[in-house]
Every structure is written in structure tokens, then in C-alpha cells.
Amino acid sequence: MYLEKEKLAKIIEAAKLYYLLDYNQHDIAKVLGVSRPTVSRLLQTAKEEGIVQITIKDPTENVENLSAALEERFGLKKAIVVSIPQYEGNIIKTFLGEVAAGYLHEIVQDGDTIGVTWGTTLHHVAVELKQKAVKDVKVVQLKGGVSHSETNTYASEILYLFGKAFNTAPHHLPLPAIVDHPVVKQAMEADRHIRKILELGKKANIAMFTIGPVKEEALLFQLGYFSKSDLDTLYGKAAGDICSRFFDKDGKICNESLNERTLGINLEDLKGKEHSILVAGGQNKVDGIFGALKGKYTNVLITDHVTAQSLIERSESLEK
């Protein structure tokens, strides 16, 4: 009986060292004062006796089901759901950035025009882009990126990295995203150089963008664009923004006067793109993503598995 207890203790100790602390069998042999073949037998016994139970969770199986459900439910051309280890903003952006960069690399062909926005999510995409030998590709900024504060929008860096990946000099839109008065916007748009860039963005067959949440700490809200009356109309009503254009939970523009002061692509122009790619995830973006899906502003969604599940559940609850 004593020997059995002693052997059981060794089996458990070997299993803990191997499976929990990542010791190799050679190191375990030293710790326990036994031979390496003995360690191998102890670990085998641990499995046979049920002391160690190994479960393999295949995240690809679940994400494929979620992708198919999103495509069917929201009429998407493609949904890519990414399995993430932790539901935390920066981790989500890192994982989505890598996958979105891979997807863009795969679809870009000679002669394509790629429209991009700015912000931290798009910056994560940009840094992950690999170079592709394509000809006559154009990269254009879809919305103004000059801010009234020192907060970095990453606009220049994103355009540079996109241009570098596809062997092209990018077209910048050297303007604020939002101005104080529609007359100012009209004057800027009357400039032939600005008009040419805006037209290029409108004609782009690929657009890649993200969702901005309606929160004080969101990047767009830190740039000094909004008056108090602007903010009063957004809080509680807007679900999110794409290209600094705010919409509600049904995807409808929710502040027309603000929309008339916004420089860049119109949401309606995103609907006709060959690839209208929304890259977004995280709890604070679920409302915005759902509104964008309802508004049909995207035909390709790249998101994380937790957000995907939330979107499907919300859609199901509305049906009921």
C-alpha cells in the first residue's frame, strides 16, 4: 500500500511538472531521481488512469461556424472570424490586424485602387502588410486626418506602409476630418487637387476601414473636432462612426449637420465597392458593427469570435 501511494505521488508529480510547468522528461528524471524511460512510463500511466485528461479545443471549427452564420445572417460576401486568446482591446487589434493584412495581400491585383482610413486598428493592419509584386495599384486616404490636437491618428504612417506594400506612392488627403462649417468644406472640395483625391476614393474598388465607438476616450473624440452641441447629439443616439460619419443602430446617419461638415467618402459610396472591408472587434464596437451591417456599408467583415457571437445573438433576439 505504501509503495502504491509512493508511486501515485511520483505519477502526479511527474504529470504536474510536465503538463503544468513545461519541464521536459530529462529534467523531470533529475528532479524525481529516476531514469528517463521511467518518467515516460509515469506519464503514460497518468493518462491511462485518468489522472491526466487531455482535451483538444479546435478554435477553427467554431470560427468557421461563426463565419458562415455571419455571412448568411447579414448577406456578407465574406466573414473572417479570428479566435483570440483574450478579449482585450490591444490584443484584439493585433490579431485582427494580422489577419486583415493577410486577406488584403491575397485579394489585391494589378490596377486595383485601395482606399484606407486611419486609427489604431488600421495601424495594426498596416504594420503587418507584406510586399506584393503588383502593378498600377493606387492607395488613397478616404477621410481627412489632420487634427486640432497632438494625438496621433497614424494617418501618414498607415498610408506610407500601404503604399510600400503595393509599390505605389499613396495619395494623402491633407485636411481635417471635420470642419466648423459646411461652407469651409465646400471651399476645400472645390480645390481641384482635393477633388481629384476625393474622386479617387469614391472610385476605389477596395476600401478598408474600421468602426469608431461613441466614447470620450475614442481617438476621433480626442482630436478637437466636436463642439458641445455636436457631442450632445451623438451620445445616446449614435452607435458608431465609419470615416467620421456617425450612424445609429439601424445604420442611418444620425446627425445630418455634422455629416455636412465631414470631409471624405460618403457611407453610401462604400456600398458599391467590390471589397468593402470592415476590420473591427471588441465590446465597445459591437453597436457600431451591428449598425454598419444593418446599413449594408460592408460586404467583408473581419472580427473576433466573441464579437461575432454577440452580433449573431443580437440579430437572433431582434428576430424574436
Side-chain angles (χ1 to χ4, degrees):
M1 188 73 179
Y2 174 74
L3 285 174
E4 282 180 11
K5 279 185 180 176
E6 189 178 12
K7 186 178 180 185
L8 182 62
K10 277 193 172 173
I11 290 168
I12 291 167
E13 183 68 10
K16 283 181 176 177
L17 290 168
Y18 190 74
Y19 291 106
L20 298 181
L21 299 175
D22 288 330
Y23 277 53
N24 62 36
Q25 292 190 19
H26 179 74
D27 291 337
I28 295 169
K30 280 186 185 174
V31 172
L32 298 183
V34 296
S35 67
R36 195 173 171 283
T38 300
V39 172
S40 185
R41 284 196 296 275
L42 290 171
L43 293 172
Q44 185 60 35
T45 305
K47 283 196 281 187
E48 287 169 359
E49 296 298 322
I51 293 163
V52 169
Q53 297 176 359
I54 297 172
T55 304
I56 296 173
K57 288 185 177 176
D58 182 1
T60 58
E61 188 178 313
N62 190 38
V63 297
E64 281 169 12
N65 292 341
L66 289 170
S67 296
L70 285 171
E71 286 169 5
E72 185 180 350
R73 193 160 280 278
F74 296 103
L76 293 166
K77 181 185 283 189
K78 189 167 188 66
I80 301 173
V81 178
V82 184
S83 181
I84 51 161
Q86 192 179 336
Y87 201 50
E88 188 272 314
N90 212 45
I91 291 169
I92 294 169
K93 287 174 185 177
T94 300
F95 276 74
L96 295 187
E98 188 178 346
V99 171
Y103 178 70
L104 189 61
H105 182 90
E106 187 186 308
I107 65 167
V108 171
Q109 298 175 349
D110 293 352
D112 282 345
T113 299
I114 308 162
V116 295
T117 61
W118 42 258
T120 52
T121 302
L122 265 292
H123 185 248
H124 276 84
V125 177
V127 296
E128 293 292 343
L129 284 170
K130 306 280 189 295
Q131 286 193 285
K132 185 171 184 178
V134 282
K135 296 174 191 168
D136 304 321
V137 168
K138 295 186 180 75
V139 170
V140 61
Q141 189 174 340
L142 290 178
K143 69 168 179 175
V146 176
S147 76
H148 305 301
S149 76
E150 292 177 8
T151 307
N152 190 1
T153 64
Y154 301 100
S156 297
E157 194 177 344
I158 289 164
L159 282 164
Y160 166 74
L161 291 168
F162 269 76
K164 184 182 168 193
F166 302 113
N167 191 33
T168 185
H171 298 267
H172 293 254
L173 191 58
L175 304 168
I178 298 165
V179 291
D180 288 339
H181 200 281
V183 173
V184 178
K185 176 188 167 180
Q186 287 157 18
M188 288 177 171
E189 289 180 338
D191 179 89
R192 63 190 171 92
H193 300 290
I194 298 299
R195 195 163 62 245
K196 187 179 172 187
I197 293 165
L198 290 169
E199 279 299 314
L200 191 61
K202 195 174 179 178
K203 289 175 182 170
N205 63 311
I206 300 171
M208 183 170 271
F209 50 92
T210 189
I211 291 276
V214 185
K215 290 189 180 294
E216 245 178 76
E217 63 271 22
L219 182 57
L220 187 62
F221 285 72
Q222 294 176 35
L223 302 179
Y225 290 135
F226 302 120
S227 67
K228 186 180 182 305
S229 63
D230 289 334
L231 294 173
D232 289 343
T233 62
L234 294 177
Y235 290 135
K237 190 177 178 187
D241 84 277
I242 291 172
C243 297
S244 305
R245 298 188 186 274
F246 288 87
F247 50 87
D248 62 20
K249 59 184 173 56
D250 296 314
K252 293 184 171 61
I253 293 290
C254 62
N255 184 330
E256 204 52 62
S257 68
L258 181 61
N259 197 48
E260 285 168 7
R261 290 159 38 213
T262 302
L263 284 150
I265 197 164
N266 287 300
L267 294 182
E268 286 299 312
D269 293 328
L270 292 174
K271 292 182 178 182
K273 304 287 184 201
E274 183 185 356
H275 304 280
S276 188
I277 308 162
L278 171 55
V279 186
Q283 191 55 48
N284 66 354
K285 295 195 176 185
V286 173
D287 289 348
I289 298 168
F290 194 81
L293 291 168
K294 293 271 283 181
K296 305 286 185 191
Y297 302 130
T298 176
N299 56 28
V300 178
L301 174 63
I302 301 174
T303 193
D304 64 86
H305 71 282
V306 182
T307 301
Q309 189 66 53
S310 296
L311 292 167
I312 291 163
E313 285 170 4
R314 182 171 298 192
S315 178
E316 285 172 348
S317 69
L318 285 175
E319 280 181 4
K320 289 171 188 173

